[in-house]
Amino acid sequence: MAAPAQPKKIVAPTVSQINAEFVTQLACKYWAPHIKKKSPFDIKVIEDIYEKEIVKSRFAIRKIMLLEFSQYLENYLWMNYSPEVSSKAYLMSICCMVNEKFRENVPAWEIFKKKPDHFPFFFKHILKAALAETDGEFSLHEQTVLLLFLDHCFNSLEVDLIRSQVQQLISLPMWMGLQLARLELELKKTPKLRKFWNLIKKNDEKMDPEAREQAYQERRFLSQLIQKFISVLKSVPLSEPVTMDKVHYCERFIELMIDLEALLPTRRWFNTILDDSHLLVHCYLSNLVHREEDGHLFSQLLDMLKFYTGFEINDQTGNALTENEMTTIHYDRITSLQRAAFAHFPELYDFALSNVAEVDTRESLVKFFGPLSSNTLHQVASYLCLLPTLPKNEDTTFDKEFLLELLVSRHERRISQIQQLNQMPLYPTEKIIWDENIVPTEYYSGEGCLALPKLNLQFLTLHDYLLRNFNLFRLESTYEIRQDIEDSVSRMKPWQSEYGGVVFGGWARMAQPIVAFTVVEVAKPNIGENWPTRVRADVTINLNVRDHIKDEWEGLRKHDVCFLITVRPTKPYGTKFDRRRPFIEQVGLVYVRGCEIQGMLDDKGRVIEDGPEPRPNLRGESRTFRVFLDPNQYQQDMTNTIQNGAEDVYETFNIIMRRKPKENNFKAVLETIRNLMNTDCVVPDWLHDIILGYGDPSSAHYSKMPNQIATLDFNDTFLSIEHLKASFPGHNVKVTVEDPALQIPPFRITFPVRSGKGKKRKDADVEDEDTEEAKTLIVEPHVIPNRGPYPYNQPKRNTIQFTHTQIEAIRAGMQPGLTMVVGPPGTGKTDVAVQIISNIYHNFPEQRTLIVTHSNQALNQLFEKIMALDIDERHLLRLGHGEEELETEKDFSRYGRVNYVLARRIELLEEVKRLQKSLGVPGDASYTCETAGYFFLYQVMSRWEEYISKVKNKGSTLPDVTEVSTFFPFHEYFANAPQPIFKGRSYEEDMEIAEGCFRHIKKIFTQLEEFRASELLRSGLDRSKYLLVKEAKIIAMTCTHAALKRHDLVKLGFKYDNILMEEAAQILEIETFIPLLLQNPQDGFSRLKRWIMIGDHHQLPPVIKNMAFQKYSNMEQSLFTRFVRVGVPTVDLDAQGRARASLCNLYNWRYKNLGNLPHVQLLPEFSTANAGLLYDFQLINVEDFQGVGESEPNPYFYQNLGEAEYVVALFMYMCLLGYPADKISILTTYNGQKHLIRDIINRRCGNNPLIGRPNKVTTVDRFQGQQNDYILLSLVRTRAVGHLRDVRRLVVAMSRARLGLYIFARVSLFQNCFELTPAFSQLTARPLHLHIIPTEPFPTTRKNGERPSHEVQIIKNMPQMANFVYNMYMHLIQTTHHYHQTLLQLPPAMVEEGEEVQNQETELETEEEAMTVQVDIIPSPTDTSCSRETPAFQTDTTPSQTETTASETGASSNPEAIPALSETTTTVAGAVSAPAEAYTPQDATSAPEGTK
């Protein structure tokens, strides 16, 4: 299997090259944003640029990239466009710029929206140009550019400006392009359309001739474009050379057709036009399909188009067609053909009289129609309205091959889509993994088109939605699997042994050689299937590895996926592996098959089950795993072995590879999607259309839901009545009680509910009355009933003063329907989520809520906050493997909850025992939950009822207060509560206390009744299932876990009513959809009532590693982002409390009215300046260091030594001033730079107790969702902006810091970038050299923005900063040393306690030891070769170990905490230096992680 050639990577030009370019010189003269005096507009400039720069370079991406980046479109082209100056070069230049914006994935239509006047004129000219003759004014290459532009227009229907133009091309009047007989047939099928058609005709007659001609041109545009394409296609020869321009034109045209067919608004009328043009028949018979090299992609695109033209949907209504309806349509087609044959063609009698199943295969249709003449075939086709009628005595102009294919392809039996899907193996094999056409390499430039489905705004049906996601998810997983296999297998270094076998010269953590492999079970197929129900095998490996790796292998869980690999290397022992050469031939890889772990076998050969019980200890190092193989794949392989005599794949495996658990959920997700496609996947009616992207996007908002709830208990949401009034501005608040002393929370609020779709009212007075009523809220304070006399009985209360937008989000979340909350950084998304959960829990105690997040970290944050609210912990359950990281002593996992229930049961039975004893009842009531229940019924209830009858109101007189206490039967039991229990102030108060005490007792027995099940169910597994299905009210899991366990959850009968999703904009579209369907529908309806999504689509999307899927297929678009694009109403949180107001300004331009919470202005930490630094944020320009800017040791593994050294020097400076190291994080935009910075820290200061390590050194993408006080950010790039051009990444980078942000970058590069202007204009307004105040200690009293009293020093470049830090460090060492010398010479009398000196001496000794070890950690100025060799003191450090927090290293950087330094301190003269010479950044620590 030859590996395909690696595609070339586009090399971005350097800043110096950019400046030298002709384009840049013109930009500086005419349109560059930073130029003050610009020359006037000159049309000749556009002509020159187009001819000399674009056409001459054959539309080279590099040239177009430069033009687009220089803001050519925004500041010159569109700004000056008008019909008078419009020309070919002008049109083409605009199209090139728009296409480039789409390629770069940046917003393209903003500039057109600002100046929309000339867009209709411009668009009409584009249409005209697209139909021009190819040998005329526009070349085929130029028309391909126009096709791409049109494709972008059709895919941007959410933009009003575009939609208004495109609509005219794809509405019903376009049927003018149909032949008359076909038009009549279609209008006859749908009588309603006839009425519309007549109306269109009438309107046309009223138009003036010129307008009518223009309208006719637009309506016929797509029909004419198809005809033009067919003529181009026919000009492609079979074997002679063909220009690639023709091939690219054909590919782009088919891509446009697919996109039109895959969207319902464009497909509705266009599908008939496409069918009438017989485009598919022309394509399948064309020469291009038969050209192996050039036609490969064209053929793949054609198959996609064929799939969509015959998609199972009613084009007019948009309803999905069932299997039966599709069969009926097929039968109707055949029978109409049979009727025509019977009536008019005697030679087809046999065909006409046969049954359908006998004649609807391709073979039988060719047998019947093949012998007929061309004219007869034409007549048959014209009877079916497929072709115009053939005039008498004339021969047909179509050739026979075309006519035969037309009839056969239209009437042959189609293969059921779902059947194909069910027979498909889910694991990729070696054939798919290394096929470049199916799984492109990471170097996808965005130039060509690919045969991949796209995820845009709308989908045809749920089946289409799931299928596109299924295909993309499968291919993206395959790409990651390919990377893992290549990494693991090449690490194992398979070589050919002397005897022809395999010998492994290396080792891999994630792969092991197989000792033995046997298939142990092949189960019988189900009825109607031809593949086994299951296939199991045993794999034996020898785990002679380090203990922690052995634990990882033994820790493989059920459902984990592994890969079985066969290698037959041909290279002799010792051959070096070259990562740049094709992988397969180097290692001799032959087969790859997937398998799923069932479990490890114990000594007796039984599978060890997962569970709460400890796993048995196995002796020796040999381990056997029982695995499930893919039955479909096994059946295909065995068939191939038996029929073709191929070798048995399953006898050849010699490597087993595992993958990281986090990345290994693909098989379960694919299986889940496939199961969903096989079931009637019931989405709630109120969500169905929104998910597909149709209808009214606000139809699921609570204000439009028919079951809106009028009165809601807001529980502890409001802190006071004033808070409540401030939370509903513009509303009239009526409180049911007048006394201000009683107006205290909790509050119940009654909202005015408008019934569904309001009636049209004509009376204005009624309207006014209605609005007045709609603004009135009725607020009823209520008292939570007393829960008992103990302090822990008091409910936990919310303490957060929510803003009015947060209250709106909470209110929307409590109402039924879809709630979307956009939460910018620091706006309290998690607090809102937790309050919604708590309020739903209290308002609807019978309902169950499912919480889904992207990461375990977010889930744990949510859980920690939920526990601080008034929610009974027995109702909480956390599924998945992340619960180990919960920072609480309590275990919320399934087995943790089982243990909690069992322990709680014992505690409660002890309480029952104490109660029994206090009441003097004999017997053993506390033996089981059951006996306790009887005790409550016969002993406790009877005493309580007797007590109530004694103390309750008798007639008109109130009973005496003392009676309440006197007759109380449980005094002895409550003796351990705070005394006195009864206050004796009033009858009502004491009676409420007595009832509270009884509630406390009753709750004990209620819980015991719930826990009875755990007495009846004996195994931990059964108990945990019971908890999940019956007991838990709030169940939390990650989206990955939901996809993995859907099958098990549905089987258990899992039920829930509400879903809350946190981090929704970071979850893949399909992983957001699956949690909606984790339960079986009830009576054909989903019981889902609420769906709350909280996220921020202005921050980073889900991670997609392959650029082709990310850019071309738009796979990175989350469902949350798509809903926002479609126009679903959102609640935008608008007050942040994380960062200083000045830092917030760097990113708040991206959000609607994002302001600051009051405490950001008031708290001292926000108003105080950053010690030792003049500014709270600064952009620091970093020029080339030793003539080098960015470097790229591996593809996409970018590093910048100058920036890395500068960042570390500033970090060390801050620590030396006294900043705590764990309050500083270092971020960068590339993995390569992250590794470089970690290395420099290890080398310069990592183990130095005066400095320590930063809290984190990581990438911006990895740090999303986290924050720190001070962020040092390195932007790395000096040639092209790279992926920071994605504004979402910029927003994340700018919003991580609370108090200080210092950015290191090449300013000349980033300040020109249009997308980044709002942030960089603020950054460049401040000096671009670092301003420091070295004599100002941390913390300072200086206010932010004040002039400092100390001297300000300006740092010009990195070497100056590094030398400065070195000198500062040496000075600190010497002064500290001198101070301790003096201290040790003081007489004991001057020290208050004699012990203190001793303590200091001991401290000194330990410090001496520490400092001796630290010698030469910070290289001296003489040590200029900070090469990548690991220093002697850290031989075992790996990159993963270096990402430790300052607290872990024990490093303290607070000056007060620096212990005494003794004489040995002077040995640390090998100290901080300017890394003045060569720092060689080759071989950057480890392979790129997922190179950004």
Side-chain angles (χ1 to χ4, degrees), residues 993-1011:
I993 291 170
E995 285 181 345
C997 289
F998 182 66
R999 282 189 199 103
H1000 175 83
I1001 291 172
K1002 191 175 177 184
K1003 188 177 175 187
I1004 293 174
F1005 291 98
T1006 313
Q1007 288 190 34
L1008 282 172
E1009 185 55 38
E1010 286 178 12
F1011 296 162

Side-chain angles (χ1 to χ4, degrees), residues 588-606:
L589 186 137
V590 191
Y591 302 118
V592 175
R593 295 290 180 270
C595 65
E596 185 181 317
I597 300 285
Q598 183 185 358
M600 194 164 67
L601 302 186
D602 61 15
D603 298 335
K604 299 190 176 73
R606 292 176 306 204

